[in-house]
Amino acid sequence: MPTLALPELLVLATALVVLVADLFVGQVGRRQLLPVALVGVCAALGALLAVVPDSGELLGGRFAVDPLGWWFKLALLGAAAGVLALAQPAWQGDGRAGPTLANRGEFLAVLLFNLAGMLVVPSARDAVTFYLALETATMPLFLLVAWRRNAAGAEAALKYLVVGALASAMLLYGLAWLYGVTGTLDLTAMAGRLPATPAAYLGLGLVVGGLGFKLTLAPLHFWAPQVYAGAPLPVAAWLGTASKGAAVAAVVLVLYRVAGPHAQGWTLAVALLAALTMTIGNLGAVVQTNVLRLLAFSAVSQAGYLLVGLCGATRDGAAAVTYYLLVYVVTNLGAFAAAAVVHHHTGSQDLAAFRGLSRRHPLLALAMMLALFGLAGIPPLGGFTGKFFLFAVAAQADLHGLVAVAAVNSTVSLYYYLRIVRQMYIEPDDSAAPATPTGLLPGLALVTATAGGIALGVVPWFYETVRAAAAGWP
Amino acid sequence: MAENLASGATGLHAWLLVTSALFSVGVYGLLTRRNAVGILLSLELCLNAAAVQFVVFNAVRAPARVDGAVMALFVVAVAAAEVVVAMAIFVLLYSRRRTVDVTDLTGDGPGHAGGAP
Amino acid sequence: MTCDHSAIVQHAWVIPALPLLSFALVGLVLRPLNARLAGAVAAAAVALSAALGWWLAFDYLQFAPPAEPLPTLIPWQVEWLRFQDGLRIDAGTLLDPASVLLVVVVTTVSALVHVYSLAYMKGEPGYGRYFAVLNLFTFSMLGLVLAPNLVQMFVCWELVGASSFFLIGFWYDRPAAVAASKKAFVVTRFADLGLLLAILLLGQAAFDVRTQLGASAGDSQALDFAFLGRADVLAALAHQAPVLGGMTALTLGCLLLFVGGAGKSAMFPLHIWLPDAMEGPTPVSALIHAATMVVAGVYLVARAFPLLAAADGVLTVVLAVGTFTALFAAAIGCTQDDLKRVLAFSTLSQLGYMMLALGTCGGGDPAGRSAALFHLFTHAFFKALLFLGAGAVLHAAHTGDVWHLGGLRRKMPLTHALFLLATLAIAGIWPLSGFFSKDEVLAAALHGGHPLVFAVGLGVAGLTAFYMARVYLLVFWGEPRREASAHVHEAPLTMVLPMGALAVLAAVAGFVPVSRWVALPGTAEHAGIDWLVAGPATAAALAGFGAAGWLYGGDLGRSDAAVARLGRLYGALRHKFWIDELYLWVARKVMFRLVAAPIAWFDRMVVDGTMHGVGLLTRLCGAGVQAAQTGQAQAYAAWALAGGLAVVGLLWAAGRAG
């Protein structure tokens, strides 16, 4: 039943096509490769929507699709399409933001291989597949971060690599312990055999810690600001959306599928991590003046919110986390797309680059504002409904302290999101910057992301469907 | 060796001591080596510790199957890929900064005071 | 029943939807691109809406043979909010004679005002914004009129208030306009609080009744007008235990409802915002502050009429307030110098007329309700015409001070003729529309057993004729008194044509049997013109005309002498009885100094201080987080390891505890 893996196969095929085509087309033709990659991703998206059933198995049960995993893949493919679209100006490279990405055409291939790995994560059902998928979802990122081949990118990539190496070692060593205490690599079988022994705690804790690096949980988040700011902007967007999505899928897999029966044991740890992560992320964001560093800390805090939904391992939690991931991907894409346009025209990552944007480009400013309000969780946007469901999960688990911390954090987050809004709407437009055309693909990404952020907030169908998809979860 | 392993808990403990030591040495190196290549070597120690542990557990806990050993093979493959990626970045860093000493990199990136230019 | 409705009755929601759509289109897309196109689209949308409104009215009138009452229909509604069973709020269209009548009035006047504004507002910087808000207003007003329940009505009620606020303050660089818009907003918002409280109170009471009724309540919801108008519900409401000061929830709720209506319809003592609202563009005054929005209060009372009639004494309050406002405003209108202000006080007075008509129904015969709606209908046309005429004068002479104008009849013959027609209509001269509706209002007062009110009504009719003739004579007769009014010219065709259309309507609207259509069951039929009423009313109007003609028709010295003779009374009238000053004194001396100042101090010192402290603390913590970003990769890795081990430790601790 290869249709089950059709999106993954299509992504891989596109990656190969782009890689080979890059060898044969000239500098001009190379610029057309991005639309080709985008078409490939959209084809995979179409395949997911049209052919992939919402459950099934492949490779002797090592690769499986379940209804919730289907939604994760939707978020990942959507993020990929969005990032490719917003990468267009950087790819074409006729702005003030430095050399083009098209000079090194393998960029798209690496990104698509990376995506293929991410797509497998929610489908992995044994430790081998899981580990390989995660490494494929991580290692290309080190390269992508350094893609501009400048000092800042190389330095960021090195730090990313060092922390990532440790996380990878923790993950693998933890998996080894889980294998040891259960005697199986099958993740579902593990759940039944996981004992309540220190060795099991060691294994589980190290795995969660290793995944926490990808999810930027505090205190594994330190790499994030420098990497976001040092990487090419589309890569930062990629880190902030798809990579985060794959990490959430992996965490849900481990905590629900493997350690679900032990939810009593790990809920406290997850709640503390969530509280610490959102607090560190929000406090860090408050003092930033670089928009990408701000978005990096914001992404840290959002990871904290996502973790709130995992407390207690309930069906509602699974639904809330998946739903918020959709919201988060769409909303963050909007913010990154707007930042990409501004960065392309000003060459600056400073918050001041947004000064007076509402006068230069009212719609762009509006889209950015809606994205930021979505991240802050202001009704009626998706960010509000998503957070509402997440916090409701914590309240159900009697973690009222966590809900209070999360509520205070949401307030703090509004402060720094509004700082950008202030630059756009209140500060006078004293820059000599000309009108800021968005370009076709980034414009499309912006419109789609904004509409999606609103639709997720006001159309109840999304949450209801996701919740129905979470039926099989504990 | 497998018979030795399967013979009893004492053998398992000994093996686990070896892998734990290997992993700990790797982590220690990862946290203290100043040279990036040294860090990479330490990472290899960690990964190898885990790989050995997979093989050991396979022999003790599930001798009828080979999945732990297969995992170990994949770990070797992943480690090789990791080396390629890491070396590429080290070379790039050396060409831009003339150093691969990670303690020399004290900035927190662009857009922040004290960050790299 | 629902299947045989004609298309427009079935889809009456299109009528408000068109201006809303146009609002979005004009406001978001067209406004920055092309102002002229924005205006044209806005006007076209409302014109289409008006055409559909007329179609709706004609189709709706086919529903019943002449002898039977017209049906009440809700052809379209969707669930909007569901609090619990029995307290579901729908959005929908309620069609009954009153709402269809208002739909026609609102769309027609709005369409004509849109067209008029195309020329009137030409060259204004906010041209597109103006039309967008005018569209929004039209949508909100139609939503209000068609509301099948109190909540939809309240939402639209606030929306019309907001659009009124935007339009009064349209010239936001003029301090007077800003102050006026603020004043209108604060005063009406204050009154809206009454409406909101009324909705809460009545909603709770009606919900209790609905629970008691059980199955017989059917699918009706507690805040639906259909449910609130049922005889068994009203009886149950009237027999509930008192909630406050011996009043039942019904009585208290109806009083608060009337407070809301009185605010919107600018009844004394909440009238102070309306004269100031004349700072807005004149077409806005015509549409919002004469023909439509300000009658929302009258419409609310008419819509909730069964409730008010069932509540003890509320109609008496309505009667008293309406009568007093009618007289009070008419008297002040005789002394104002600004053309638009005279018209504003005239509007106040006429709104008082409508309210007093509603108030006369306390005796059981709802004839006054029909009269009020009839007068609302005719008033919309002639008052809008008066305002548009005043707008034409303002447009040409750039001043509205009647003592600076004069002799315009030769320069602006068309405007003059139309203004004269409207003046005669409002004064109630046969066969113009005002004659018929005023006749019905006075007849309702006389036959409802309120001779004193009837007498006051006659007096107001005389005063109305007097102040209208006064401004008419001062503006259009005599010689130009200032340079500005000497070089005026006739208004352009796009302004004259809508005025002409309104003039036709103002002339013939009296022959439309509105009061027969809108009559509630139990209304006494009356045939033809009641000369016992019409005779004295016409005499009063002619007397008013005569007095004005004598004072202002020839030698203006006679009016100066009269002013001197009246002395203090004239001063009091001219200063509008110092009501505005009284409000200001209360606001400044009592509210600001005794209430607001201590709160402001607390806010500044304690609340703000705490907030600044929290903000500072947050930034300090943020700086701390940033300081941890040392750039040392191995320190990060150490933290990561610590994090992983901390999770292990927590799992272990939880495992031991569990």
Side-chain angles (χ1 to χ4, degrees):
Chain A
M1 244 192 346
T3 50
L4 207 58
L6 195 57
E8 287 84 354
L9 294 176
L10 277 172
V11 168
L12 280 179
T14 313
L16 291 173
V17 166
V18 170
L19 193 61
V20 173
D22 183 60
L23 297 175
F24 296 106
V25 298
Q27 198 55 249
V28 178
R30 190 167 285 161
R31 297 195 167 199
Q32 303 310 318
L33 287 180
L34 183 118
V36 171
L38 188 56
V39 167
V41 169
C42 289
L45 201 56
L48 182 74
L49 291 168
V51 257
V52 176
D54 62 1
S55 54
E57 285 184 352
L58 214 60
L59 303 174
R62 289 184 171 80
F63 180 97
V65 175
D66 59 290
L68 213 57
W70 187 93
W71 281 100
F72 279 117
K73 292 185 187 208
L74 182 73
L76 291 171
L77 283 170
V83 168
L84 284 176
L86 71 86
Q88 193 202 25
W91 177 261
Q92 304 277 10
D94 37 15
R96 296 162 74 175
T100 72
L101 293 174
N103 287 337
R104 321 218 184 266
E106 323 82 81
F107 177 81
L108 297 170
V110 174
L111 192 124
L112 289 173
F113 284 133
N114 195 209
L115 171 64
M118 292 174 179
L119 285 174
V120 177
V121 171
S123 287
R125 288 296 178 271
D126 75 328
V128 181
T129 318
F130 182 63
Y131 177 66
L132 290 181
L134 265 181
E135 289 297 329
T136 319
T138 307
M139 252 191 278
L141 292 172
F142 302 140
L143 295 175
L144 291 175
V145 166
W147 207 263
R148 285 204 194 288
R149 311 208 176 172
N150 57 3
E155 190 178 329
L158 180 81
K159 289 174 188 176
Y160 192 27
L161 180 77
V162 169
V163 186
L166 182 85
S168 167
M170 288 200 316
L171 174 76
L172 187 65
Y173 193 58
L175 279 178
W177 276 105
L178 287 181
Y179 174 58
V181 293
T182 59
T184 177
L185 283 176
D186 185 312
L187 296 178
T188 322
M190 263 187 199
R193 301 195 204 165
L194 197 67
T197 59
Y201 299 144
L202 179 65
L204 192 59
L206 288 177
V207 169
V208 171
L211 293 175
F213 152 76
K214 246 182 118 49
L215 195 55
T216 58
L217 299 186
L220 301 96
H221 71 281
F222 287 97
W223 55 273
Q226 185 167 8
V227 168
Y228 275 58
L233 204 147
V235 175
W238 184 242
L239 283 168
T241 54
S243 172
K244 196 67 69 86
V248 173
V251 171
V252 169
L253 199 66
V254 168
L255 288 183
Y256 275 58
R257 200 170 279 282
V258 179
H262 295 267
Q264 290 291 345
W266 53 255
T267 290
L268 176 70
V270 167
L272 284 175
L273 271 184
L276 184 67
T277 303
M278 64 178 82
T279 310
I280 294 278
N282 280 323
L283 289 177
V286 161
V287 292
Q288 301 305 326
T289 55
N290 176 307
V291 69
L292 285 172
R293 294 178 62 86
L294 191 147
L295 285 173
F297 275 110
S298 143
V300 171
S301 73
Q302 300 287 340
Y305 299 137
L306 275 164
L307 222 48
V308 170
L310 292 173
C311 294
T314 58
R315 173 190 174 181
D316 282 335
V321 169
T322 315
Y323 177 71
Y324 193 72
L325 181 70
L326 287 173
V327 171
Y328 168 76
V329 164
V330 161
T331 313
N332 227 18
L333 265 182
F336 271 109
V341 173
V342 170
H343 180 237
H344 183 66
H345 285 281
T346 59
S348 162
Q349 296 183 352
D350 206 76
L351 286 190
F354 284 85
R355 269 180 91 101
L357 187 67
S358 65
R359 260 79 76 192
R360 290 206 298 284
H361 197 321
L363 288 179
L364 181 64
L366 182 70
M368 181 67 167
M369 183 174 76
L370 286 176
L372 294 171
F373 281 176
L375 288 172
I378 290 183
L381 299 164
F384 170 75
T385 15
K387 269 188 194 167
F388 175 81
F389 292 129
L390 285 176
F391 297 175
V393 169
Q396 261 173 18
D398 278 332
L399 295 166
H400 298 292
L402 181 60
V403 176
V405 170
V408 170
N409 266 291
S410 291
T411 317
V412 172
S413 74
L414 193 56
Y415 170 78
Y416 60 81
Y417 291 130
L418 280 177
R419 282 178 60 205
I420 303 184
V421 176
R422 180 194 165 88
Q423 292 288 341
M424 294 192 299
Y425 280 88
I426 297 178
E427 299 291 334
D429 180 14
D430 53 3
S431 74
T436 315
T438 45
L440 176 66
L441 289 180
L444 212 57
L446 268 169
V447 170
T448 317
T450 311
I454 298 172
L456 280 166
V458 296
V459 183
W461 179 86
F462 288 101
Y463 180 72
E464 281 163 11
T465 314
V466 170
R467 192 167 184 283
W473 296 77
Chain B
M1 192 165 76
E3 301 81 52
N4 184 14
L5 269 173
S7 64
T10 328
L12 179 61
H13 277 140
W15 278 107
L16 290 183
L17 274 177
V18 171
T19 54
S20 308
L22 205 53
F23 187 77
S24 306
V25 169
V27 168
Y28 179 77
L30 227 157
L31 297 180
T32 53
R33 300 295 299 184
R34 296 167 61 120
N35 188 303
V37 180
I39 291 179
L40 193 58
L41 288 175
S42 309
L43 172 67
E44 294 299 317
L45 285 186
C46 292
L47 296 183
N48 285 339
V52 171
Q53 194 156 333
F54 269 109
V55 174
V56 169
F57 277 134
N58 189 358
V60 177
R61 297 296 311 257
R65 289 201 304 262
V66 292
D67 45 6
V70 169
M71 182 73 170
L73 285 179
F74 275 111
V75 170
V76 173
V78 166
E82 193 124 33
V83 169
V84 173
V85 169
M87 287 312 289
I89 291 171
F90 296 165
V91 170
L92 172 64
L93 185 70
Y94 189 74
S95 76
R96 295 288 178 268
R97 277 284 161 82
R98 295 283 144 200
T99 177
V100 286
D101 183 339
V102 294
T103 55
D104 285 348
L105 307 173
T106 54
D108 192 23
H112 174 252
Chain C
M1 178 86 202
T2 45
C3 51
D4 59 345
H5 292 162
S6 72
I8 187 62
V9 171
Q10 194 67 45
H11 298 288
W13 57 270
V14 174
I15 298 173
L18 276 171
L20 180 65
L21 208 67
S22 158
F23 161 65
L25 185 68
V26 170
L28 294 175
V29 183
L30 294 177
R31 183 180 57 81
L33 296 181
N34 185 334
R36 286 181 60 89
L37 182 65
V41 168
V46 178
L48 188 57
S49 196
L52 293 176
W54 283 83
W55 182 18
L56 171 72
F58 282 116
D59 268 9
Y60 177 75
L61 288 174
Q62 310 302 319
F63 275 127
E68 283 179 38
L70 288 154
T72 299
L73 312 166
I74 304 185
W76 176 84
Q77 65 177 358
V78 292
E79 179 176 326
W80 180 28
L81 300 167
R82 178 189 282 276
F83 297 105
Q84 60 192 100
D85 283 331
L87 207 56
R88 188 188 71 212
I89 308 298
D90 293 326
T93 52
L94 171 74
L95 296 183
D96 73 347
S99 68
V100 173
L101 178 79
L102 265 284
V103 165
V104 169
V105 169
V106 171
T107 53
T108 307
V109 177
S110 179
L112 293 172
V113 164
H114 270 81
V115 173
Y116 179 92
S117 302
L118 288 176
Y120 187 85
M121 298 302 287
K122 196 179 234 165
E124 287 290 343
Y127 197 76
R129 173 167 56 96
Y130 172 85
F131 281 100
V133 184
L134 218 50
N135 272 177
L136 174 66
F137 168 77
T138 310
F139 155 72
S140 327
M141 191 67 206
L142 288 170
L144 187 161
V145 164
L146 291 169
N149 56 54
L150 272 168
V151 176
Q152 183 184 335
M153 191 175 222
F154 181 71
V155 171
C156 293
W157 187 271
E158 293 297 342
L159 274 175
V160 290
S163 12
S164 158
F165 169 78
F166 289 134
L167 287 169
I168 296 171
F170 175 75
W171 287 300
Y172 54 77
D173 47 356
R174 298 184 189 169
V178 173
S181 65
K182 264 194 295 193
K183 187 169 177 179
F185 192 74
V186 170
V187 174
T188 52
R189 198 65 197 77
F190 178 75
D192 293 348
L193 186 64
L195 179 55
L196 182 60
L197 287 175
I199 291 175
L200 296 177
L201 205 60
L202 289 172
Q204 197 193 11
F207 185 70
D208 287 346
V209 169
R210 195 181 177 283
T211 314
Q212 285 165 18
L213 287 176
S216 68
D219 187 45
S220 55
Q221 304 300 316
L223 282 168
D224 282 358
F225 289 119
F227 180 75
L228 292 173
R230 280 167 48 162
D232 53 344
V233 175
L234 291 171
L237 279 173
H239 289 101
Q240 279 181 336
V243 289
L244 186 75
M247 287 187 286
T248 60
L250 176 66
T251 310
L252 191 59
C254 286
L255 277 176
L256 288 167
L257 200 75
F258 177 63
V259 169
K264 201 61 102 195
S265 286
M267 291 290 107
F268 179 88
L270 297 170
H271 65 280
I272 53 161
W273 65 271
L274 188 57
D276 288 20
M278 297 302 130
E279 293 294 341
T282 308
V284 168
S285 310
L287 174 62
I288 300 186
H289 305 119
T292 57
M293 185 189 83
V294 288
V295 300
V298 177
Y299 181 72
L300 172 68
V301 173
R303 169 64 65 213
F305 185 77
L307 279 174
L308 276 85
D312 292 336
V314 176
L315 282 179
T316 314
V317 175
V318 174
L319 179 67
V321 170
T323 311
F324 183 76
T325 307
L327 180 63
F328 167 86
I332 293 177
C334 298
T335 62
Q336 299 301 303
D337 294 335
D338 185 87
L339 181 52
K340 281 182 74 182
R341 280 190 182 246
V342 175
L343 294 180
F345 279 101
S346 160
T347 304
L348 284 177
S349 166
Q350 299 297 314
L351 289 169
Y353 237 72
M354 298 174 208
M355 280 293 184
L356 87 81
L358 285 164
T360 58
C361 303
D365 178 9
R369 179 179 177 273
S370 313
L373 287 170
F374 188 24
H375 196 55
L376 186 163
F377 178 69
T378 60
H379 173 257
F381 298 127
F382 58 66
K383 184 53 64 67
L385 176 56
L386 283 171
F387 267 108
L388 293 189
V393 169
L394 245 72
H395 195 63
H398 302 289
T399 175
D401 190 324
V402 291
W403 298 106
H404 294 180
L405 296 162
L408 294 187
R409 73 181 185 286
R410 283 187 297 274
K411 314 263 180 172
M412 308 178 75
L414 291 173
T415 306
H416 165 242
L418 296 168
F419 198 90
L420 174 61
L421 181 126
T423 304
L424 295 175
I426 191 175
I429 302 299
W430 190 88
L432 301 172
S433 57
F435 171 79
F436 298 94
S437 57
K438 202 170 278 190
D439 173 54
E440 289 213 8
V441 171
L442 291 173
L446 188 62
H447 301 309
H450 303 283
L452 182 64
V453 172
F454 175 72
V456 172
L458 279 183
V460 171
L463 283 173
T464 306
F466 175 79
Y467 64 67
M468 282 316 302
R470 169 177 174 263
V471 292
Y472 164 73
L473 290 170
L474 287 176
V475 170
F476 290 101
W477 290 80
E479 293 304 317
R481 280 178 289 275
R482 288 287 162 91
E483 193 62 17
S485 53
H487 302 292
V488 299
H489 48 82
E490 184 56 89
L493 206 59
T494 37
M495 283 165 66
V496 174
L497 281 181
M499 286 161 64
L502 278 173
V504 172
L505 289 166
V508 304
F511 295 103
V512 182
V514 167
S515 43
R516 190 163 55 74
W517 289 334
V518 301
L520 291 177
T523 310
E525 274 296 325
H526 65 101
I529 297 163
D530 185 350
W531 283 106
L532 186 65
V533 175
T538 307
L542 290 176
F545 277 152
W550 185 71
L551 285 172
Y552 300 99
D555 179 11
L556 290 177
R558 283 200 285 258
S559 70
D560 294 338
V563 166
R565 190 94 44 82
L566 284 171
R568 285 195 169 195
L569 177 60
Y570 182 83
L573 284 171
R574 207 177 149 76
H575 291 100
K576 303 166 243 170
F577 291 105
W578 294 282
I579 302 275
D580 287 80
E581 285 75 6
L582 179 70
Y583 271 102
L584 268 185
W585 184 83
V586 171
R588 287 216 178 115
K589 291 280 149 79
V590 181
M591 280 163 66
F592 285 5
R593 201 166 287 178
L594 295 182
V595 182
I599 292 178
W601 180 87
F602 182 81
D603 191 54
R604 211 166 38 242
M605 306 308 285
V606 181
V607 180
D608 284 5
T610 314
M611 285 299 132
H612 287 313
V614 170
L616 189 66
L617 192 68
T618 309
R619 277 198 297 279
L620 282 177
C621 292
V625 170
Q626 179 54 52
Q629 302 285 138
T630 54
Q632 291 290 355
Q634 286 167 318
Y636 297 175
W639 275 111
L641 183 68
L645 292 178
V647 176
V648 173
L650 282 168
L651 289 177
W652 198 336
R656 279 161 60 113

